[in-house]
Amino acid sequence: MKLPFIHREQALPGTAAGTDRRGRGIFYGWWIVAAGAVIWVFNGMTYSYGLSVFYTSIIHDVGWTRTQLAGAISLSRLESGLLGGLGGFLVDKFGPRPVMLFGITMMSLGFIALSMVHTLLQFYLVFILMVAVGSSLSHAVPIDTTAANWFVRKRGRVFGILRGAIAVGALGVTLLALFIEAYGWRTAFVGVGIGTFALGIPAALIMRRRPEHYGLLPDGDPRPELSAVDTVATDAEAEPSSAAATVDEAAEEAIGLTGRQALRTRAFWTISFGFALRLMVTGAVTLHAIPIVEDLGYSRAVAASVLGTIGITSLTGRLGGGWICDLLGTKRVVVFSVFTLAISALVLAFAQNLWMVMLFVAIYAPSYGAQAAAMPTMRADHFGRRSYGVISGLSGMVQTTGSMIGPFFAAYVYDTTGSYQIAFLIFAVLLLISAALFLTLERPRYR
């Protein structure tokens, strides 16, 4: 069964004309990975991990409670999850570039606007309507979808690199904390907005939807000689002619399920709810790590370095976990790492000093990193490339319940009891339930 290819000799940027389609030179998919990694590095420093630094700085300056500020972040994750399905549809229909360009612009303007807020309502509106919208349309769904389309055999390693980029970005959290201490969180938001635009726009322009649209195969595999069939472009980005035909139905079935078909599978709901429980815990840790360490009597700089240590230590799990996923399959990686996450939650629940916190980091970070690489890989393995964007977005709508509830629940427990202990004991139990869910998964169909 042959897949359709673009019938043209146009070379992709960054490659010699005609080089890739004969199997020599740098496969263009690696340029896409590099561009996605640049975006994730900066996001890791300023958003994924950096929000925790802004979180404590704003609380100390403005006087809002942890629950009040965490509520905005939780609602933004709910919105991002609800937008995930729409974002996935847009990426599958129009390609990643236009979606990412819009999202990066919105996120950049949102960060700059945050520097000018003075009330809690203003913060909620700007963060939810601009920053969260921009993030959901410029990061996970479009980058993951593009990577899943360009790689199959090496997919775990690719997602390990992309998620590893977030961990590299975590190294900059300490620098961000020092910058905020020196110039204030408002100035820092302006700088983050400018940086998001300056780095994100060029990276987004490198993205392309699928290798087949450029006469290539996933993973850079050599392309078989074309038969006498018509080969036409189906990518809106490739400016197809009005006579372009639709992609052959049999070929499409060979590369995955539609969103509607995926929704009818047990695997979709198992994966979605299993990762929702995991995201409940990891979302809470990322936001509350700095407050937890500060509550033990350590400085903000020390607390920020602990968060940075989580990021860089998770790099071993992200890269190693992605590689192991390609060798042994995602199920083994996910079940084991979720179980060890449960152990780490118990350690943090009883942490009384920095040594116990570092023990938590040593257990938590590699497990957290391995799942970060395994999560998008598992979705692609089970549902294929055909509608990965839509399926990823729909799954994200379910998973967002965890990332929304976790940070808010931990903040509420702290504000009512003066401690995070009860929250993390409950998190440990939920993670064991998550591991049990993943154990029930059947062998993936598309691998």
Side-chain angles (χ1 to χ4, degrees):
M1 181 180 297
K2 292 183 172 61
L3 293 176
F5 295 96
I6 286 182
H7 186 60
R8 61 177 185 174
E9 297 300 324
Q10 178 180 348
L12 290 165
T15 60
T19 298
D20 277 338
R21 53 170 51 204
R22 288 192 297 269
R24 299 191 297 270
I26 299 176
F27 176 50
Y28 190 76
W30 293 115
W31 293 106
I32 291 173
V33 173
V38 168
I39 294 177
W40 276 123
V41 166
F42 194 73
N43 177 275
M45 181 179 71
T46 60
Y47 189 73
S48 297
Y49 290 96
L51 273 183
S52 186
V53 183
F54 283 109
Y55 180 72
T56 55
S57 300
I58 294 172
I59 288 173
H60 290 310
D61 183 39
V62 182
W64 300 328
T65 67
R66 298 185 185 189
T67 303
Q68 287 175 324
L69 199 56
I73 297 170
S74 293
L75 287 175
S76 72
R77 288 172 176 168
L78 173 62
E79 179 193 51
S80 296
L82 295 176
L83 285 173
L86 174 62
F89 169 79
L90 293 175
V91 171
D92 282 342
K93 184 172 180 60
F94 300 108
R97 275 181 293 169
V99 178
M100 291 180 67
L101 290 172
F102 176 79
I104 288 167
T105 302
M106 285 291 293
M107 194 174 187
S108 303
L109 294 174
F111 276 127
I112 294 173
L114 282 177
S115 70
M116 297 178 276
V117 302
H118 293 280
T119 68
L120 187 63
L121 178 61
Q122 290 173 346
F123 184 90
Y124 268 64
L125 291 175
V126 172
F127 193 84
I128 294 171
L129 298 180
M130 297 183 71
V131 176
V133 169
S135 177
S136 65
L137 295 179
S138 63
H139 288 78
V141 171
I143 295 175
D144 285 358
T145 301
T146 308
N149 284 337
W150 282 78
F151 293 90
V152 177
R153 289 183 295 101
K154 303 173 183 177
R155 189 176 283 151
R157 279 162 279 188
V158 165
F159 280 121
I161 292 171
L162 291 174
R163 293 304 188 267
I166 306 176
V168 173
L171 289 174
V173 171
T174 302
L175 296 177
L176 179 64
L178 294 174
F179 187 91
I180 291 175
E181 287 187 359
Y183 300 102
W185 59 271
R186 295 183 185 277
T187 303
F189 270 136
V190 174
V192 169
I194 295 172
T196 298
F197 190 86
L199 293 174
I201 295 298
L205 292 174
I206 294 176
M207 298 293 166
R208 298 293 190 277
R209 189 191 298 183
R210 283 182 183 165
E212 289 89 350
H213 297 156
Y214 300 92
L216 307 174
L217 284 176
D219 300 297
D221 290 340
R223 181 168 66 91
E225 292 300 320
L226 294 177
S227 63
V229 300
D230 292 332
T231 52
V232 295
T234 59
D235 193 342
E237 296 173 347
E239 301 179 0
S241 66
S242 58
T246 59
V247 176
D248 179 74
E249 182 179 352
E252 283 291 272
E253 290 177 355
I255 59 174
L257 303 177
T258 65
R260 183 173 298 179
Q261 289 170 335
L263 286 172
R264 292 198 294 264
T265 66
R266 181 174 174 272
F268 175 88
W269 298 104
T270 300
I271 292 172
S272 298
F273 281 114
F275 280 120
L277 294 175
R278 173 261 190 191
L279 287 170
M280 182 182 298
V281 182
T282 57
V285 169
T286 302
L287 182 62
H288 294 283
I290 289 180
I292 287 171
V293 178
E294 287 184 334
D295 290 343
L296 295 176
Y298 298 96
S299 68
R300 187 174 306 171
V302 171
S305 67
V306 169
L307 186 59
T309 302
I310 290 177
I312 195 60
T313 306
S314 74
L315 187 59
T316 59
R318 295 171 193 267
L319 297 177
W323 180 71
I324 295 173
C325 282
D326 287 338
L327 291 179
L328 303 179
T330 53
K331 179 177 177 178
R332 291 186 177 95
V333 174
V334 170
V335 171
F336 179 78
S337 58
V338 171
F339 179 76
T340 52
L341 271 188
I343 296 174
S344 72
L346 288 174
V347 172
L348 190 59
F350 295 101
Q352 298 295 323
N353 52 54
L354 190 59
W355 287 109
M356 292 189 71
V357 172
M358 296 312 296
L359 175 61
F360 157 77
V361 171
I363 302 172
Y364 171 88
S367 304
Y368 164 58
Q371 288 173 55
M375 181 165 58
T377 308
M378 178 176 277
R379 280 198 293 259
D381 287 352
H382 279 271
F383 309 116
R385 299 187 296 136
R386 182 178 184 181
S387 299
Y388 181 89
V390 170
I391 294 170
S392 180
L394 292 172
S395 182
M397 293 174 67
V398 179
Q399 292 172 195
T400 197
T401 57
S403 61
M404 177 193 71
I405 294 172
F408 181 82
F409 174 71
Y412 176 77
V413 169
Y414 178 87
D415 285 339
T416 54
T417 68
S419 170
Y420 289 102
Q421 186 178 73
I422 294 176
F424 280 92
L425 289 175
I426 293 174
F427 287 156
V429 174
L430 294 177
L431 286 168
L432 292 176
I433 295 174
S434 176
L437 283 174
F438 287 119
L439 273 173
T440 67
L441 276 175
E442 298 176 353
R443 184 180 178 87
R445 176 178 176 184
Y446 295 98
R447 183 58 175 162

